[in-house]
Amino acid sequence: MAEGRVVGIDLGTTNSLIAYMQGDSPVVIPGVDGSNLVPSIVALDPMPADGSRPTVTVGNTARKALIETPERVIYSVKRLMGRGVSEVQAELKLFPFRLAADVDAANPNEVPRIQLGEMTFTPPEVSAYILRQLKRNAERFFGAPVTQAVITVPAYFNDAQRQATKDAGRMAGLEVLRLVNEPTAAALAYGLDREKEGVIAVYDFGGGTFDISILKLKDGIFEVLATNGDTHLGGDDIDNLLLAIALDEIRNDYGIDLRPHADAVQALRKAVIEAKIELSFKDTTHFDIELPNGTRYQREIPRAVFEDLIKPILERTAVPCKQVIADAGINPEEIGEVVLVGGSTRIPAVRRQVDAIFHLSTRGKKPHTELNPDEVVALGAAVQAEILGGSAKSTEDMLLLDVTPLSLGIEALGGVVARIIPRNSTIPASATEHFTTGVDGQTNVAIHVLQGERELATDCRSLARFDLKGIPPMSAGMPRIEVKFLIAADGILHVSAREQRSGKEAQIEVKPTYGLTDEQVESMILDSFDNAEADFAKRLLIEARLEAETILAAVERAPQHPAWQKLTEDEKLTIDALKSVLQIVSTGEDANVIRSATVSLDQATRRFAELMMEEAVTSAIRGKTMDKAGEDLGDEIQAPHPMAAAEFK
Amino acid sequence: MSPLKVLNSDSTAVPVVCWSCAVAHNESTLFCTACSKVQPPPGVDYFQVFNLPRHLQIDLASLEQEFHKLSRKLHPDRFARATEAEREFSLADTALINDAYRTLRDPVRRTEYLLKLEGEEIGEEHAGHNTGNAERTSRVPADLLEEVFELNMQLDELREGDQKDPALLSEVGAAGEKFSGMLNELDGNLQHQWALWDDGDAATRTAAQKQMVALLDRRR
Ligand SMILES: [Zn+2]
């Protein structure tokens, strides 16, 4: 098979995106609903009566299930990636989903599984469903299979979290050519525009993670000087805090504990998030929620109160910022530009915080926000995908030199950590260590690999334990085993070992502390037909028909909409004619013919869609939210248009 | 999938035969001089990686330039769609140049590395089963680090608060002076020995070597 396009994927806590390079500029590929963002929400449809596997839905469709069947929906799964059972348990206190009942909480090596309706899923499997959705969106867009991708991860992700992300890619039928750190990707997206030299900082405050990176740009080389962050700090924390406050208030003032009512909690969460978003551009907002007993929880929240509440969360971003500046060995004044990434940077208080940390306004500077903070990481991933593809002029001089965020060490006697690769080392990086035996005739040596900055092994994250086996029996201290640790460009560790006196390659049996085995990943690969060409054609046809049905259904209802009357007779006739064409061709077997008929009808109805939008906006101004307006008008205009603009060859 | 994988470690011996065009080289290099294909990591020291003499006084700007030049050619990004062998060589070679650059750009690491090449034993930990050269956890002296944090905190207070608080101002001034004094003293001593080592005769070198070992041990 000819090598296809490499796509860039931002697998986010809240939303996920897929992008590619269109000529010289990166572009996000929209989904069927026309939206660039695919909410990172996965839902399980009701169990079919025949007992077959229920369908898994992803994105906006899954979001709808969040209110109706919250026990069958999972979101923010990124926070669970690469984590052990006990960590996941702590995390889940804030979320409505639970560990599967049969997960052995006492076994620290067990990969957690989440209960979703009747079934259970590991976090990489859930992520794989999101990735598969993105892959399908891209395949639909290109009309060709997509098999290779660059996926972004928070810079501060550890080895296990990175490996879990790669596993998810594999399960989704994607060869992950590279994992790229999110802030670095953002820098690539910005760096593409103009020739730049100098030091920049990327402040990435997303849904679930916070990253701060400092890069030096020179002649197309993007050299990361240092990175820091908190994989447990994001917009989610703001939502959870506001939610907890609201729940307490409702209990105290109305005597109702909403916590056991998953659907009511979800509705409240939705309201809290809307309030947060509104406070980014308004001075005040208010809640108005119906409680189960029929009374209403109404509350005014001025921006100042909101900012006071979230202050402790924002202050937590200052610590990594100071550390990263120290690690990069620079003064804040040397940072020429600051790039803002992630939806949470829309909050005015966050911008003020950034300004204070980097002394921006005192130097007459402003942070960069030209690129959409929700999209910039995906755009950068597309740039890196193009660099790896290696064929484009626009990126041929660009090279990314990234670093490992955490120090790598091994446990020495007394439980102390001996650091072998310091944090902020440019990757790939390696270190060679020598080990020997302590007892005569000893044939095994146990090695414990750790990641983190603390002095004691118990305070660092355990990456893996392995035994060097088959050491020829010698007196104590005689064998000389050379172990090579290599962190690859993904930030993932590889190990090799050799006994030097006998020249024997020592056997290593690695037990990752958290993570799936190769066999487990293999068994979790999603519907393997994804890669088969014949099935691919079949799927394209099914999808083409589905799209045709969607738009036909929308056009069928169109004349009942007031906007229809605003169309000219000519426009109406054209739409009718194209509708008949599509109705006929969609019974045929040629996906391309169906598609072009769909596109024609789509284009003919574009003005109608715009008119509907105007209506929706008008009713929003009359005091309804966009969402409400959409509901009033029917499902098909949730998105600006029933069918996204698509490109067909 | 397990986070750890076993790679083949290659031993390199001279002369080396290019895996691609079979031309023999008397020196092991990163690239084949005949067909310019990437080669397995050569058995050279960090100074040789950058074609530098074994000196401690280094022009950091030209070191960076050379590092970037090699990175452009060797980085795994350039081999994403190459053969498996080339990908593996690129990975190992890039790790080598990154390790070399990380060591040589830093004055203390550079000095330690050269001293080890010259056969000095510094910071060698023989405790436990690890006979290796794992870095001690704090490379920067703890008291110096303490000073830096103190200074930063005071600077922040100054920026956020009343700029004219004279007590705070003089405190910051004192802390700053103390800090830069400590740094300068350490650096000054070390740099003095560098010059002696780079330009001296055999006897001067040996003496400088001992001095540097002592200086580095004091930093620990
Ligand atoms: Zn050759």
Side-chain angles (χ1 to χ4, degrees):
Chain A
M1 189 183 80
E3 278 178 333
R5 272 176 212 280
V6 188
V7 291
I9 293 177
D10 172 5
L11 183 60
T13 308
T14 318
N15 294 301
S16 297
L17 302 88
I18 187 162
Y20 81 111
M21 280 294 260
Q22 188 178 56
D24 286 349
S25 50
V27 179
V28 177
I29 300 170
V32 187
D33 60 0
S35 164
N36 281 355
L37 305 180
V38 172
S40 302
I41 305 174
V42 173
L44 196 63
D45 279 358
M47 197 75 169
D50 62 7
S52 59
R53 262 179 90 96
T55 312
V56 172
T57 58
V58 175
N60 280 316
T61 355
R63 190 205 292 282
K64 282 180 198 139
L66 205 52
I67 306 280
E68 292 143 26
T69 54
E71 75 290 346
R72 306 181 76 85
V73 186
I74 178 166
Y75 57 88
S76 293
V77 71
K78 191 173 180 179
R79 296 183 83 129
L80 310 179
M81 292 286 274
R83 296 191 183 270
V85 171
S86 59
E87 286 173 305
V88 166
Q89 268 175 328
E91 191 78 34
L92 288 187
K93 287 188 183 125
L94 301 165
F95 293 99
F97 28 91
R98 293 289 161 257
L99 276 178
D102 61 342
V103 170
D104 178 7
N107 177 3
N109 295 326
E110 178 149 356
V111 174
R113 276 174 294 116
I114 310 298
Q115 190 76 45
L116 220 54
E118 306 78 11
M119 301 177 71
T120 67
F121 298 91
T122 61
E125 282 176 289
V126 176
S127 296
Y129 281 110
I130 300 168
L131 289 173
R132 188 178 63 173
Q133 183 62 48
L134 296 170
K135 178 178 185 294
R136 286 180 171 174
N137 288 351
E139 289 175 338
R140 176 185 153 276
F141 183 86
F142 294 132
V146 168
T147 58
Q148 292 182 316
V150 165
I151 302 181
T152 60
V153 290
Y156 220 55
F157 252 21
N158 66 34
D159 189 276
Q161 293 168 304
R162 286 167 195 269
Q163 191 61 57
T165 307
K166 269 196 123 169
D167 290 347
R170 198 163 139 221
M171 291 174 195
L174 286 169
E175 184 192 348
V176 182
L177 289 188
R178 180 64 45 82
L179 297 177
V180 182
N181 294 329
E182 286 158 10
T184 325
L188 278 180
Y190 268 98
L192 202 62
D193 286 358
R194 5 177 195 156
E195 289 290 309
K196 271 202 243 169
E197 300 258 303
V199 179
I200 68 165
V202 183
Y203 182 97
D204 181 357
F205 197 18
T209 55
F210 172 69
D211 278 328
I212 175 80
S213 289
I214 295 188
L215 294 97
K216 185 171 164 183
L217 272 56
K218 197 176 181 186
D219 302 328
I221 291 199
F222 290 63
E223 187 179 354
V224 180
L225 298 180
T227 191
N228 209 298
D230 189 333
T231 52
H232 250 100
L233 181 59
D236 271 2
D237 291 284
I238 295 176
D239 303 345
N240 286 332
L241 177 79
L242 297 178
L243 180 64
I245 292 170
L247 285 169
D248 284 348
E249 213 168 74
I250 291 170
R251 194 181 46 201
N252 295 340
D253 298 357
Y254 299 81
I256 303 170
D257 190 3
L258 283 187
R259 277 169 231 260
H261 308 281
D263 49 343
V265 171
Q266 278 315 315
L268 189 59
R269 171 182 286 275
K270 193 165 170 257
V272 154
I273 294 171
E274 277 165 12
K276 174 182 81 171
I277 292 171
E278 211 165 64
L279 283 171
S280 284
F281 52 91
K282 284 166 107 178
D283 290 332
T284 187
T285 184
H286 70 274
F287 282 154
D288 183 359
I289 293 160
E290 189 173 322
L291 298 174
N293 68 359
T295 56
R296 301 194 79 86
Y297 171 55
Q298 288 172 317
R299 197 186 190 299
E300 192 75 19
I301 306 172
R303 189 193 274 179
V305 170
F306 169 73
E307 291 182 347
D308 245 20
L309 291 173
I310 65 168
K311 204 170 175 215
I313 294 175
L314 302 196
E315 274 170 1
R316 281 173 61 200
T317 71
V319 182
C321 288
K322 288 188 180 162
Q323 186 62 55
V324 83
I325 291 170
D327 283 358
I330 53 163
N331 296 314
E333 281 72 21
E334 287 174 61
I335 297 170
E337 300 179 63
V338 177
V339 169
L340 296 186
V341 185
S344 302
T345 60
R346 289 201 176 90
I347 299 172
V350 171
R351 298 202 173 180
R352 283 203 304 278
Q353 164 109 348
V354 170
D355 190 86
I357 294 171
F358 298 100
H359 314 149
L360 292 179
S361 51
T362 52
R363 294 189 283 149
K365 286 178 185 289
K366 270 192 191 157
H368 283 277
T369 54
E370 299 93 319
L371 297 176
N372 181 339
D374 290 325
E375 295 185 353
V376 59
V377 169
L379 298 177
V383 175
Q384 178 67 11
E386 187 85 342
I387 293 174
L388 293 180
S391 48
K393 264 264 175 266
S394 52
T395 57
E396 71 180 356
D397 289 329
M398 292 175 79
L399 180 66
L400 181 57
L401 302 177
D402 218 324
V403 300
T404 178
L406 298 157
S407 298
L408 188 77
I410 40 184
E411 183 171 347
L413 223 59
V416 223
V417 178
R419 203 144 292 164
I420 56 174
I421 299 179
R423 69 165 183 268
N424 295 321
S425 293
T426 305
I427 51 175
S430 67
T432 306
E433 288 295 310
H434 295 101
F435 297 87
T436 189
T437 51
V439 183
D440 290 349
Q442 187 179 338
T443 55
N444 277 19
V445 169
I447 295 172
H448 187 196
V449 189
L450 302 128
Q451 213 170 15
E453 312 309 321
R454 306 282 294 275
E455 304 281 317
L456 291 178
T458 48
D459 296 330
C460 285
R461 164 164 288 259
S462 173
L463 272 195
R465 292 173 188 273
F466 58 87
D467 277 330
L468 299 173
K469 285 181 184 167
I471 301 166
M474 294 183 226
S475 13
M478 274 304 287
R480 192 174 156 79
I481 307 133
E482 186 183 88
V483 181
K484 187 155 193 188
F485 299 85
L486 190 148
I487 301 177
D490 280 338
I492 292 177
L493 179 68
H494 303 245
V495 182
S496 62
R498 200 168 41 164
E499 203 291 306
Q500 290 186 308
R501 290 193 211 281
S502 64
K504 253 182 85 174
E505 195 86 19
Q507 280 177 8
I508 304 182
E509 214 172 89
V510 178
K511 289 184 213 85
T513 310
Y514 302 114
L516 300 164
T517 63
D518 252 344
E519 293 72 37
Q520 284 174 312
V521 173
E522 207 68 49
S523 73
M524 291 173 184
I525 289 179
L526 307 180
D527 319 332
S528 49
F529 69 74
D530 260 22
N531 293 323
E533 290 286 331
D535 285 331
F536 177 74
K538 206 186 288 170
R539 211 181 77 218
L540 278 185
L541 180 61
I542 293 169
E543 285 185 9
R545 281 181 181 157
L546 275 175
E547 283 161 24
E549 274 171 36
T550 310
I551 194 165
L552 284 172
V555 172
E556 203 62 54
R557 284 196 296 268
Q560 286 139 40
H561 194 278
W564 182 258
Q565 302 313 324
K566 296 187 185 164
L567 295 177
T568 65
E569 282 311 305
D570 263 5
E571 284 171 326
K572 288 180 195 168
L573 278 176
T574 312
I575 292 173
D576 276 341
L578 289 169
K579 186 177 88 179
S580 311
V581 170
L582 182 58
Q583 273 166 341
I584 293 161
V585 301
S586 65
T587 58
E589 299 289 317
D590 192 330
N592 284 333
V593 173
I594 301 175
R595 285 239 149 121
S596 49
T598 306
V599 171
S600 306
L601 180 57
D602 176 68
Q603 276 161 357
T605 54
R606 181 132 302 186
R607 204 172 83 83
F608 173 63
E610 282 164 11
L611 290 169
M612 284 206 299
M613 271 306 286
E614 273 170 32
E615 285 276 330
V617 171
T618 320
S619 43
I621 292 166
R622 283 200 301 263
K624 291 178 188 170
T625 65
M626 278 298 266
D627 241 353
K628 268 261 174 57
E631 278 160 27
D632 292 349
L633 296 166
D635 276 350
E636 70 274 20
I637 62 139
Q638 283 276 324
H641 195 251
M643 164 84 195
E647 184 191 73
F648 299 107
K649 300 262 153 62
Chain B
M1 192 192 275
S2 86
L4 303 174
K5 275 188 211 137
V6 179
L7 291 179
N8 297 320
S9 43
D10 294 286
S11 61
T12 31
V14 175
V16 182
V17 175
C18 170
W19 61 270
S20 175
C21 71
V23 166
H25 302 280
N26 284 323
E27 249 175 71
S28 117
T29 54
L30 296 161
F31 306 96
C32 172
T33 45
C35 71
S36 67
K37 289 266 189 193
V38 61
Q39 301 295 307
V44 296
D45 70 40
Y46 291 166
F47 291 95
Q48 291 167 318
V49 166
F50 294 110
N51 276 317
L52 288 170
R54 202 177 279 187
H55 278 179
L56 286 164
Q57 294 162 303
I58 282 186
D59 176 7
L60 288 175
S62 60
L63 178 69
E64 184 191 53
Q65 215 168 14
E66 192 63 21
F67 170 62
H68 285 170
K69 206 174 101 192
L70 286 175
S71 296
R72 278 187 202 281
K73 288 197 214 161
L74 285 167
H75 197 275
D77 282 7
R78 299 281 183 253
F79 294 86
R81 286 175 161 181
T83 64
E84 201 183 330
E86 282 173 290
R87 283 205 309 255
E88 204 171 300
F89 298 154
S90 136
L91 175 62
D93 285 355
T94 308
L96 173 68
I97 62 168
N98 287 344
D99 296 344
Y101 183 56
R102 180 170 71 245
T103 304
L104 295 188
R105 81 205 285 203
D106 179 90
V108 175
R109 286 195 192 121
R110 174 165 78 237
T111 313
E112 277 178 355
Y113 180 74
L114 181 134
L115 290 173
K116 268 183 199 158
L117 284 181
E118 295 293 331
E120 296 284 352
E121 294 215 340
I122 38 165
E124 205 80 11
E125 279 177 295
H126 294 284
H129 297 169
N130 177 10
T131 65
N133 49 7
E135 277 195 37
R136 294 271 182 95
T137 40
S138 58
R139 219 175 39 76
V140 179
D143 54 342
L144 196 63
L145 212 59
E146 204 55 43
E147 292 293 330
V148 177
F149 280 124
E150 183 72 11
L151 184 64
N152 273 335
M153 268 167 53
Q154 285 170 333
L155 283 175
D156 282 337
E157 263 179 64
L158 204 59
R159 281 193 196 102
E160 283 153 22
D162 182 2
Q163 303 254 351
K164 293 196 180 71
D165 180 347
L168 196 58
L169 266 178
S170 74
E171 238 180 88
V172 169
E177 265 169 47
K178 191 171 165 201
F179 167 60
S180 52
M182 288 168 82
L183 256 189
N184 286 342
E185 196 188 321
L186 272 166
D187 282 358
N189 289 345
L190 205 54
Q191 279 170 18
H192 178 63
Q193 300 302 327
W194 285 355
L196 292 176
W197 202 92
D198 286 355
D199 310 324
D201 54 21
T204 318
R205 282 194 159 197
T206 314
Q209 227 165 282
K210 298 290 168 232
Q211 283 294 323
M212 287 190 283
V213 171
L215 271 173
L216 290 180
D217 274 348
R218 219 177 305 148
R219 283 185 75 132
R220 285 172 186 277

